[in-house]
């Protein structure tokens, strides 16, 4: 794997962090040439990056080009702590755009398509490089930046593609209906989901509302852009531009294909190109599994992975991990959606005894007066205990209590937050 050697060589010559890192870990950079060699190296984390930038450090130690060669500066969202800083050269922009262009091509994008991008154009790298990728695929861009744009934009400019997060696409569909434009009659041919993990039940409902198939993408400021092709058989990893391994939860060993673990990436730097920030064996803190390394029916040969979810979104109930996506799967049971809008939030509280946990789940109703509360409750609990029988045992033993709250439109707590809301929040330490 020639790119690994180029990446390590580049990091040795240009990264203050890796020069010191190689020395402290007794690593001979010239010995790192293959996939197996990368697996012998230590793993770094987001915390490592934060400890090597202001305010902890006086300088950005991960920056690997002189300031005059930095084209743009970007930050992560900071939802799991202080935002991490990343520096991109024009070569980085080209590589990031190439990753997205491949995804768009595999999803059938082409000349004549018009793409509305409904995500922030701030320090988020994804939307910016998606825009450049559109140029590489001859697609016209409508850079809205959010889903609160007037419905006339769809009527007047007739976009064929919308890129957004899944909940924004649901809200946009509702807004269009209120304005007299049915989503299925809008001329939109493709929905591209990005920005967060989601439940398959939610995606199925989204596809039903729009009457088209949606395609998933996964990307990060760190550079891990992956995406589904039209086969919808897993997210293709651009293995010539980013190297991915899957570790167990203790970060000690690798898992076999098909087993879930934490995704660790290395950003590959081709020979002769520059990188503003190099990452070697970086723990993304996202959970996924390798679905296949065989050739996809679409003809592509890069490996495919499951839609990653954030390990930081896990909470533990009596030692049992529960992810936001698990809660989402229970909310979006198809029968429930006859009564719910899909908006929800969940909170964990301490019970009366030390061993008791209370899960309070609030769901927004289309019309609370017509909602079949018992049906929704039963569907939710049955599916939750189907996902995790251990939670069913905790419920039967009195260690878990589930409290349901049904609201009208606009009455959830998340509507009062200015920042991106967390839908599963552990409040046990605050009680």
């Amino acid at each position: 794997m020639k790119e690994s050697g180029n990446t390590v060589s580049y990091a040795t010559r240009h990264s203050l962090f890796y020069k010191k890192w190689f020395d402290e870990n007794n690593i001979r950079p010239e010995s790192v040439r293959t996939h197996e060699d990368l697996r012998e190296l230590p793993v770094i984390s987001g915390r490592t990056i934060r400890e090597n930038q202001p305010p902890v450090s006086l300088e950005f130690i991960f920056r690997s080009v002189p300031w005059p060669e930095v084209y743009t500066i970007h930050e992560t969202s900071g939802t799991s702590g202080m935002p991490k800083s990343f520096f991109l050269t024009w070569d980085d922009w080209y590589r990031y755009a190439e990753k997205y262009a491949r995804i768009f091509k595999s999803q059938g994008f082409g000349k004549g398509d018009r793409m509305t991008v409904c995500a922030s154009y701030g320090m988020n790298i994804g939307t910016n490089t998606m825009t450049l990728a559109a140029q590489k695929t001859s697609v016209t861009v409508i850079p809205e930046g959010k889903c609160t744009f007037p419905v006339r934009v769809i009527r007047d400019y007739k976009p064929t593609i919308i890129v957004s997060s899944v909940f924004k696409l649901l809200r946009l569909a509702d807004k269009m209906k209120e304005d007299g434009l049915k989503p299925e009659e809008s001329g939109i041919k493709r929905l591209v989901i990005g920005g967060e993990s989601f439940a398959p039940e939610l995606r199925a409902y989204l596809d039903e509302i729009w009457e088209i198939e949606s395609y998933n993408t996964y990307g990060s400021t760190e550079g891990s852009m992956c995406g589904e092709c039209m086969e919808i058989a897993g997210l293709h990893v651009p293995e010539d531009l980013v190297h991915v391994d899957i570790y167990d939860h203790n970060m000690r060993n690798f898992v076999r294909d098909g087993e879930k673990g934490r995704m660790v990436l290395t950003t590959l730097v081709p020979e002769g190109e520059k990188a503003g920030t190099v990452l070697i064996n970086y723990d993304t803190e996202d959970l996924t599994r390798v679905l296949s390394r065989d050739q996809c029916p679409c003809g592509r040969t890069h490996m495919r992975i499951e839609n990653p979810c954030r390990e930081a979104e896990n909470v533990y109930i009596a030692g049992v991990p529960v992810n936001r996506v698990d809660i989402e799967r229970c909310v979006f049971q198809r029968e429930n959606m006859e009564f719910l809008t899909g908006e929800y939030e969940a909170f964990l509280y301490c019970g009366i005894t030390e061993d008791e946990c209370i899960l309070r789940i609030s769901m927004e109703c289309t019309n609370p007066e017509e909602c079949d509360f018992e049906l929704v409750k039963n569907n939710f609990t049955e599916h939750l205990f189907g996902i995790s029988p251990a939670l069913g045992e905790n419920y039967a033993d009195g260690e878990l209590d589930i409290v349901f709250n049904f609201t009208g439109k606009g009455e959830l707590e998340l509507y009062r937050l200015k920042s991106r809301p967390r839908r599963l929040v552990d409040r046990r330490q605050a009680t």
Side-chain angles (χ1 to χ4, degrees), residues 94-107 109 129-130 132-137 300:
Y94 186 86
R95 288 192 295 271
Y96 278 40
E98 172 64 20
K99 295 172 192 177
Y100 275 124
R102 292 179 189 180
I103 295 169
F104 291 163
K105 187 72 174 177
S106 75
Q107 293 168 349
F109 287 30
T129 48
M130 277 185 182
L132 182 59
Q135 185 272 333
K136 293 167 69 71
T137 50
R300 292 168 176 81

Side-chain angles (χ1 to χ4, degrees), residues 254-265:
F254 302 96
V255 301
R256 292 176 294 185
D257 287 0
E259 295 180 357
K260 203 156 194 172
R262 291 172 67 147
M263 184 167 71
V264 173
L265 68 85

Side-chain angles (χ1 to χ4, degrees), residues 61-72:
I61 308 301
F62 271 86
R63 177 172 55 83
S64 55
V65 291
W67 277 111
E69 295 182 21
V70 173
Y71 180 60
T72 53

